[in-house]
Amino acid sequence: MSKIKPSKGAPYARILGVGGYRPTRVVPNEVILEKIDSSDEWIRSRSGIATRHWASPEETVAAMSVEASGKAIADAGIRPEQIGAVVVSTVSHFHQTPAIATEIADRVGAGKPAAFDISAGCAGFGYGLTLAKGMIVEGSAEYVLVIGVERLSDLTDLEDRATAFLFGDGAGAVVVGPSDEPHIGPTVWGSEGDKATTIKQTVPWDAFHGGDVSNLPLDSQGEIKFPAITQEGQAVFRWAVFEMAKVAQQALDAAGITADDLDVFIPHQANMRIIDSMVKTLKLPEHVTVARDVETTGNTSAASIPLAMERLLATGKAKSGDTALVIGFGAGLVYAATVVTLP
């Protein structure tokens, strides 16, 4: 017989507050067109993106996260020192160690919480949310701060016609806390590693570490290009449209609801065509509000779902208590979907 006492966590968990931060610089498609042979009409028709935000040197991964977190903590109505864990999803924090979560935890005044980073690309927010729910129910933390943050402008090849227009910067955060009722459904998540190369970094960091640099890509000026994110656009599109609609339906089934029960749909803001195709495949009713933040924010990877959630609530297009389906998907290929009650 085990001598370990059972944990004393909450019966359930829920999102209590949300906050977002978008860099001050707004970049229209015209700026992107300075280095690629394309057009505003082509970019809009293929992606739905008109503008995106790019961070200044001062708007670091940590700085943006602190701003978004402060708003989420205030929205949740708790004190920073009540936070028992900080989970940060990002692929654009360039220090291997320490985790940026530790700096963020200190700067928001969280005291000495557990703090760590995860790398799950555009599904990272869903992964973090699932970890937070587990911590609260298990009893290892009463409140968890989950952050999705990216400076993807640092990982964008502005001469790559296929991706130069896609990416933006920003941070989104939520506070997850205890609940007497289920407000975060079961997570449907997974990976398809056999497709990992469809979204990837162009060259690994160790290519610059005393190796042969003759095979590294060069820009139009003959300079070695910094590593960037590249993808096989058509393969990613097909996977997202057909496979992720199935995952989204599985999340609805796991939560015990149908599309008719939904108020809001918040997919990863990768591409407007993907979003519209998923809406059609899922046969979402007209009353369901669909997040289309990608038009003015671009693809911000792990930050896209909480940023879209924050904007829907701030503009009144969604309201507290609404039932929302959220799904993230991207590099790996990884995915995570769940049904939540909006804060």
Side-chain angles (χ1 to χ4, degrees):
M1 178 180 292
S2 172
K3 298 179 180 179
I4 300 172
K5 294 180 179 180
S7 58
K8 296 181 178 180
Y12 305 105
R14 70 172 298 164
I15 300 174
L16 298 174
V18 60
Y21 180 83
R22 293 172 174 81
T24 56
R25 183 187 177 193
V26 177
V27 180
N29 287 337
E30 286 73 20
V31 172
I32 306 298
L33 296 173
E34 293 174 3
K35 292 194 175 184
I36 60 171
D37 180 18
S38 188
S39 68
D40 178 64
E41 189 279 331
W42 187 90
I43 293 173
R44 288 174 185 258
S45 66
R46 293 301 181 96
S47 68
I49 299 172
T51 62
R52 74 284 291 149
H53 295 255
W54 282 356
S56 68
E58 293 75 27
E59 292 169 314
T60 62
V61 166
M64 292 191 293
S65 298
V66 169
E67 290 292 329
S69 299
K71 295 175 184 177
I73 293 168
D75 192 41
I78 68 167
R79 302 184 309 277
E81 58 267 26
Q82 292 178 273
I83 295 170
V86 177
V87 183
V88 177
S89 178
T90 185
V91 299
S92 47
H93 170 55
F94 293 150
H95 290 270
Q96 193 72 37
T97 191
I100 195 64
T102 58
E103 178 183 342
I104 295 166
D106 179 63
R107 289 177 61 175
V108 301
K112 299 180 180 179
F116 57 94
D117 299 349
I118 60 175
S119 177
C122 306
F125 175 75
Y127 276 47
L129 187 64
T130 304
L131 293 172
K133 174 186 174 182
M135 283 184 264
I136 291 161
V137 173
E138 187 271 337
S140 59
E142 184 177 11
Y143 298 99
V144 180
L145 179 63
V146 179
I147 303 164
V149 57
E150 301 293 1
R151 273 182 55 119
L152 294 182
S153 58
D154 292 335
L155 287 168
T156 299
D157 180 354
L158 294 178
E159 296 180 346
D160 179 3
R161 188 174 183 271
T163 61
F165 57 89
L166 285 176
F167 302 118
D169 303 336
V174 298
V175 172
V176 184
S179 173
D180 292 329
E181 297 180 326
H183 288 288
I184 301 175
T187 300
V188 177
W189 58 353
S191 64
E192 298 186 32
D194 59 318
K195 302 179 182 66
T197 57
T198 56
I199 304 174
K200 62 181 181 180
Q201 186 172 305
T202 50
V203 292
W205 299 114
D206 62 4
F208 297 86
H209 184 63
D212 181 9
V213 298
S214 61
N215 292 322
L216 293 178
L218 305 178
D219 63 21
S220 58
Q221 306 301 314
E223 300 292 332
I224 294 175
K225 288 185 177 181
F226 191 75
I229 297 173
T230 185
Q231 67 176 26
E232 298 174 19
Q234 289 302 314
V236 172
F237 181 87
R238 289 192 298 270
W239 175 78
V241 168
F242 297 109
E243 298 303 320
M244 292 305 97
K246 297 176 186 176
V247 171
Q249 183 60 54
Q250 290 170 16
L252 291 175
D253 296 341
I257 68 172
T258 68
D260 290 335
D261 298 313
L262 280 179
D263 301 303
V264 183
F265 179 43
I266 311 178
H268 165 48
Q269 302 295 292
N271 179 301
M272 195 75 79
R273 292 169 62 209
I274 291 174
I275 294 171
D276 290 341
S277 294
M278 290 183 72
V279 168
K280 183 177 180 180
T281 302
L282 288 167
K283 298 179 180 178
L284 295 185
E286 290 187 6
H287 75 262
V288 176
T289 297
V290 180
R292 292 187 170 89
D293 196 44
V294 66
E295 180 180 5
T296 56
T297 306
N299 180 342
T300 56
S301 189
S304 77
I305 290 175
L307 278 174
M309 182 184 296
E310 185 263 350
R311 175 161 281 175
L312 287 176
L313 289 166
T315 58
K317 294 180 179 179
K319 62 183 185 299
S320 175
D322 279 352
T323 299
L325 169 63
V326 299
I327 179 170
F329 44 86
L333 293 171
V334 296
Y335 54 87
T338 188
V339 176
V340 304
T341 301
L342 295 184

